[in-house]
Amino acid sequence: MNIAAPKGTKDILPDEMSRWHAVENLFASVCERYGYKEMRTPTFEQTELFARGVGGSTDIVRKEMYTFEDKAGRSMTLRPEGTAGIARAYIENGMASLPSPVKLYYDMSFFRYEKMQKGRYREFWQLGCEIIGSPSAYADAEVIAILDTFFTELGLAERQLELGSIGCPECRPDFLHALRAHFEPNLDKMCPDCNERFKINPLRILDCKVESCQPFIANAPSQLDYLCADCEEHFDKAKRALEALDISYNINRSMVRGLDYYTRTVFEYVSTHVGTQGSICGGGRYDGLVEILGGKATPAVGFAMGIERLLLEVEAQGIELPAAAPVDLFIISFPDTAVSAMALAQKLIRSGLSVQTDVMERSMKAQMKQADRSKAEYLVVYGAEELAAKQFVIKRLSDGAEETVSADDLTDYLLKARK
Ligand code: ATP
Ligand code: MG
């Protein structure tokens, strides 16, 4: 029986890793420059964390979680998103006593039981940021500024920032009331999920993707018309900060986000490239979350960006990412020099060079082929003569040019050749 990778998962093969590293390293570099520090949380948590922290009315909790009982009968869930785990860790590790705001970023994989589609997997990766402890709209603007810098440095030009506000516990009840009044007469024409959502949280209906529900969603009331004075001011301040940072946005009157705990600012980056529709990244403010999880009321804002979706965009928009580091040297050896060749490779590698040598005890002809495939810059044939003379003929594979170099000078020769 052949065992295949589970449905909805994929292998990330060596050839693809340089693309992954390019976006992951750029993201880390941008976050560090804004003063954010990386953290990681466990791959699985108590189910209760997500039930409370993501929210019972969300698709994630209702349909998408990988939940299992461990051997002691406790209910555990593979993390479907990052914010709940980070908020839990923030409380549990006493991070509230650190100077505010606490600025964090992460690069982790997540698990959701979803229908497989292009850019939609059951295990996928996200790059994300959280800034915990600031109630100010400037914190909202800062996390968006991080994304703007990241996309600019990556070269992802065809993007649009969609911006909205979903109010706060003060003004949301009026909006929910208006939503209920709007949807109620049409419930019989809407999907069963929306009928369910109507009962638990009508806000969720705005996120429905079923075609026949769209006409009713399109002319639904907008939270933006129901914001209280404080939420209105917060939203204005965020918009003014973005304008000062030269970050353009599109006000989206119907945006809701996938998690229950969002308050006030919500945003998404969508691709404007023809043919690759969809959201690359989503985020928002979640002032209620830390308290819901048992901490002191603590305002926070953050975002998460799917790496697979980002890489699809990178490809669609024709962005060249740096290739894998080149191989500096391939050493061909013989049975009587193989170990010396390995020792030489060891020395060169420890000086920072990338060097390959034969560990299959193959013929010279086979090693030549391997050297070719390795795309090394230089080649050295290490025979008994070279061993005795302590010098090598080093051959540049691009044009066949040869030079004689002593064993002592080899490291410097190769390091210089790199520049
Ligand atoms: P969608 O509406 O596409 O289901 P979402 O609202 O569930 O997205 P978030 O929970 O906000 O998405 O996650 C943030 C980002 O993570 C998304 O914008 C997307 O890039 C990525 N993402 C979410 N779910 C998946 C998945 N199943 N596979 C790959 N990437 C995903
Ligand atoms: Mg989803």
Side-chain angles (χ1 to χ4, degrees), residues 60 64 81 112 114 119-122 124-126 207 209 257-259 268 279-283 304-309:
I60 293 181
E64 297 173 356
E81 57 89 53
R112 295 184 194 175
E114 302 212 60
R120 191 176 290 285
Y121 299 96
R122 289 181 176 178
F124 59 97
W125 289 75
Q126 286 182 339
D207 219 8
K209 281 157 190 131
R257 301 272 318 123
L259 316 181
E268 261 179 41
S279 133
I280 308 167
C281 166
M305 166 164 60
I307 300 186
E308 291 86 352
R309 300 244 184 120

Side-chain angles (χ1 to χ4, degrees), residues 174-231:
D174 282 349
F175 174 56
L176 290 181
H177 185 77
L179 269 187
R180 283 208 180 82
H182 169 80
F183 286 123
E184 189 147 36
N186 299 308
L187 278 178
D188 54 335
K189 295 175 216 98
M190 299 179 70
C191 76
D193 257 355
C194 279
N195 275 270
E196 189 72 11
R197 291 175 180 125
F198 183 83
K199 284 183 236 151
I200 339 174
N201 180 358
L203 207 57
R204 291 266 77 84
I205 297 179
L206 302 175
D207 219 8
C208 178
K209 281 157 190 131
V210 174
E211 200 53 49
S212 54
C213 294
Q214 298 313 309
F216 307 109
I217 292 169
N219 60 8
S222 166
Q223 170 81 57
L224 293 183
D225 297 325
Y226 292 83
L227 295 181
C228 62
D230 285 352
C231 285

